[in-house]
Amino acid sequence: MREWTRDERYQRFEEVPQDKLEALRAQVQQSNYKQIFHIQPESGLLNDPNGLIYFNGEYHVSHQWFPLGAVHGLKYWYNYTSKDLVHFEPHGPILKPDTKNDSHGVYSGSAFEYDNHLYYMYTGNARDESWQRHSSQLIAKVNQDKTISKFPKPVIGQPPEGYTEHFRDPKVFKKDDAYYAIIGAQNVHKSGRVVLYQSTDIVHWQFMGELETKLTEFGYMWECPDYFNLDGFDILMFCPQGVEPDGDKFNNIYQAGYIIGQLDVDNLAMNHADFNELDNGFDFYAPQSFVDAQGQRVLIGWMGLPDVNYPTDEENWAHCLTIPRVLSIEDGKLKQRPIKALKQLRFNEETALGYANKFTRQLHPYDGKQYELIIDVLENDATELYFELRSSRQHSTLIKYNTREQKLTLDRSESGPLPTPVEGTSRSTILDTPLSQLQIFIDTSSIEVFCNDGERVMTARIFPDEDATGIKTSTESGQAYLKFTKYELKEG
């Protein structure tokens, strides 16, 4: 891996010669790992989804972007619009580090509507001569011609007393007649927290205080907070950094999850149940939610993690966004399902019905690199069920289900080159109910597994060889009666 100098990391995209940019884009287009129905960078590094909103009949989706390589450098927001959250039109960088308050990066933030106009609130990152970080919260208005007008000064100029400069990622929401911004923070005792601000005119923001939760010692920084009410429940999502592993939980370098309960805004308190991970796989972080045209709460995450190297880094690009997920609360639990609009990408349906047993079966004519696979478990007397996807002589991604423990495991030990450094090559979760269905989305270099109609999701980047197209099934002992439905998927 090449070492990037500070000057290289903070090159301005606008000052890079066009031929260099074209060469970087060509590397992505030629990559064997290029995705076909996920948003991924045209070059360089993608991270947090930002500014997600349905406004004036179209969706706006942006992501953090460093265009020049697979490192975290000078950040821009790269923007797309969409009519259906399946097909996206790229518009290039929409927010740029072009003022003194965001000179060293346009960091994460959110979109909101005010007085029939679209606005973004985001963290500006600036560095002084000593390279000390200064973070402030800025607002930009999206004009009718899609140009940007930034407010002349920060609306929140610095962290409140008692907090460090790790103070970022505002999510704006409206409750009753007021606007609120929830912001990820670190207090001076190096503990993660979230704080709330309130405004009635979006220019003047009043610090309300820290949101009280039961999680008093839960990591050293809480990033990318999000708050919303869903089906009568209040949900606070955030990404705690510095949480220790606990059995099958919290095994990634940083976590992304939620608490569910009731928010008392007046008293700044959240009465809640345990913190749960949103995704039980390897590669999921910095999710953001919004309301779609049908009034559903939709979530998109970054399919990647900070401080991890990925095999495409050598090709000067990294990461993608997840497919959009529709959220609901059922029986007091959060469910996540893929948006139904993705059915537009389906073609060439194939089905198979039969028994899996201890003899491995290759499913014919089932193969491919980009597909949706639905596995219905109609009967199950097997001790363990195995599904091998993107299988070749060298590579295979394994989904394993232990019937007695109701444990589902995603194993990428044989999936090809692995991201590093990552603890372990498998991730597991205990299901609430016996396995009845898996709905799996495979793209060129990713897998997203939705279990039991949204009960759990497991996401991972995988990097198998070109020949890894097979699908196999077997059991440890006993047998299971299964129905497979496979759809090839078109480009998004």
Side-chain angles (χ1 to χ4, degrees):
M1 288 291 296
R2 63 167 285 201
E3 288 294 320
W4 287 67
T5 66
R6 182 183 291 175
D7 286 347
E8 287 176 322
R9 286 177 183 261
Y10 286 85
Q11 293 175 83
R12 292 188 59 78
F13 166 69
E14 296 85 349
E15 296 169 1
V16 177
Q18 277 301 314
D19 58 344
K20 181 176 179 180
L21 295 174
E22 285 301 325
L24 288 167
R25 293 185 189 112
Q27 268 190 301
V28 176
Q29 292 300 318
Q30 293 158 11
S31 173
N32 290 335
Y33 301 125
K34 182 177 180 292
Q35 304 275 69
I36 72 163
F37 61 90
H38 288 81
I39 287 178
Q40 67 163 65
E42 65 170 42
S43 68
L45 182 137
L46 166 158
N47 57 305
D48 306 9
N50 289 155
L52 309 183
I53 193 170
Y54 180 71
F55 177 76
N56 278 358
E58 64 181 0
Y59 296 98
H60 297 255
V61 175
S62 298
H63 63 71
Q64 290 280 290
W65 186 49
F66 176 65
L68 305 181
V71 294
H72 290 274
L74 185 61
K75 292 295 176 67
Y76 295 69
W77 279 23
Y78 192 103
N79 178 255
Y80 299 81
T81 54
S82 175
K83 295 292 186 186
D84 57 9
L85 292 176
V86 177
H87 306 91
F88 293 90
E89 181 182 351
H91 300 288
I94 188 171
L95 282 183
K96 304 173 183 180
D98 55 11
T99 71
K100 73 172 187 177
N101 292 300
D102 58 19
S103 58
H104 289 73
V106 174
Y107 280 16
S108 287
S110 55
F112 63 98
E113 183 178 347
Y114 176 77
D115 198 19
N116 297 316
H117 288 93
L118 174 58
Y119 291 85
Y120 295 127
M121 187 176 190
Y122 67 96
T123 299
N125 186 47
R127 300 271 187 176
D128 62 21
E129 298 81 6
S130 306
W131 206 249
Q132 295 299 307
R133 177 204 303 264
H134 298 280
S135 62
S136 58
Q137 312 312 312
L138 311 173
I139 287 185
K141 179 182 179 182
V142 182
N143 302 311
Q144 297 217 318
D145 62 359
K146 300 286 175 86
T147 59
I148 294 286
S149 299
K150 295 182 181 179
F151 283 17
K153 63 179 185 178
V155 293
I156 301 171
Q158 61 192 31
E161 189 175 347
Y163 298 87
T164 73
E165 290 291 341
H166 290 290
F167 184 75
R168 54 184 175 266
D169 313 333
K171 176 65 187 282
V172 176
F173 62 92
K174 189 177 182 184
K175 195 173 175 70
D176 300 323
D177 293 324
Y179 287 82
Y180 295 86
I182 189 165
I183 299 175
Q186 179 188 71
N187 67 21
V188 291
H189 305 295
K190 303 294 172 64
S191 293
R193 296 290 188 265
V194 292
V195 299
L196 268 180
Y197 285 76
Q198 185 188 61
S199 177
T200 54
D201 61 8
I202 77 166
V203 176
H204 304 94
W205 291 80
Q206 178 187 355
F207 177 59
M208 297 180 68
E210 182 181 299
L211 184 63
E212 181 186 341
T213 72
K214 299 174 186 174
L215 303 171
T216 53
E217 297 297 326
F218 197 65
Y220 58 78
M221 173 64 192
W222 291 1
E223 292 195 312
C224 305
D226 192 352
Y227 161 81
F228 51 91
N229 183 276
L230 182 62
D231 302 329
F233 292 87
D234 289 317
I235 294 179
L236 175 66
M237 298 195 314
F238 59 97
C239 295
Q241 298 183 318
V243 177
E244 291 297 316
D246 178 13
D248 289 329
K249 299 189 296 184
F250 314 145
N251 284 296
N252 295 329
I253 184 170
Y254 306 127
Q255 319 311 321
Y258 64 95
I259 53 178
I260 181 171
Q262 298 297 327
L263 173 65
D264 182 346
V265 170
D266 296 330
N267 294 305
L268 290 176
M270 180 90 171
N271 180 30
H272 63 88
D274 292 341
F275 179 88
N276 284 298
E277 290 174 278
L278 277 156
D279 193 290
N280 298 101
F282 291 91
D283 299 292
F284 183 87
Y285 198 68
Q288 191 173 109
S289 76
F290 60 102
V291 176
D292 73 1
Q294 289 76 45
Q296 302 176 117
R297 178 64 58 171
V298 176
L299 176 144
I300 295 175
W302 165 26
M303 204 190 296
L305 282 167
D307 304 329
V308 175
N309 302 309
Y310 286 77
T312 59
D313 290 7
E314 296 174 6
E315 300 174 349
N316 287 308
W317 72 276
H319 307 306
C320 62
L321 298 183
T322 67
I323 60 173
R325 308 172 180 182
V326 175
L327 306 182
S328 62
I329 302 286
E330 297 168 32
D331 297 323
K333 295 180 179 177
L334 184 70
K335 294 285 186 80
Q336 305 174 69
R337 296 179 176 93
I339 58 163
K340 291 182 178 177
L342 287 165
K343 292 178 181 179
Q344 297 174 54
L345 300 180
R346 291 173 172 177
F347 70 102
N348 194 24
E349 177 183 349
E350 295 172 327
T351 60
L353 193 64
Y355 286 94
N357 54 38
K358 66 179 182 177
F359 301 103
T360 301
R361 291 181 58 189
Q362 170 99 28
L363 301 185
H364 292 292
Y366 278 35
D367 56 16
K369 298 178 190 173
Q370 301 99 5
Y371 56 84
E372 176 187 350
L373 179 65
I374 299 171
I375 305 172
D376 290 300
V377 181
L378 304 177
E379 298 173 16
N380 181 21
D381 296 318
T383 51
E384 284 194 337
L385 264 172
Y386 305 117
F387 304 104
E388 295 179 56
L389 310 177
R390 292 301 307 276
S391 173
S392 66
R393 286 187 176 182
Q394 275 83 29
H395 297 152
S396 185
T397 299
L398 175 66
I399 299 172
K400 177 171 69 174
Y401 176 66
N402 182 291
T403 303
R404 183 178 60 81
E405 297 179 20
Q406 289 182 195
K407 179 182 279 196
L408 193 73
T409 300
L410 176 62
D411 185 334
R412 66 175 181 188
S413 57
E414 304 295 329
S415 294
L418 293 172
T420 58
V422 175
E423 285 293 319
T425 55
S426 69
R427 294 288 182 265
S428 297
T429 182
I430 304 293
L431 301 182
D432 299 332
T433 55
L435 181 64
S436 58
Q437 187 189 77
L438 298 173
Q439 184 177 11
I440 304 165
F441 289 82
I442 295 274
D443 206 340
T444 318
S445 55
S446 67
I447 178 170
E448 289 160 277
V449 183
F450 293 80
C451 318
N452 286 355
D453 194 29
E455 186 180 297
R456 295 283 194 285
V457 192
M458 304 183 84
T459 297
R461 295 300 304 279
I462 55 173
F463 300 92
D465 58 36
E466 289 282 281
D467 300 328
T469 60
I471 300 173
K472 299 177 181 177
T473 184
S474 61
T475 69
E476 181 187 47
S477 63
Q479 63 181 13
Y481 192 47
L482 307 172
K483 180 185 179 184
F484 290 83
T485 308
K486 175 178 169 283
Y487 304 92
E488 294 182 61
L489 296 179
K490 296 178 288 197
E491 201 154 342

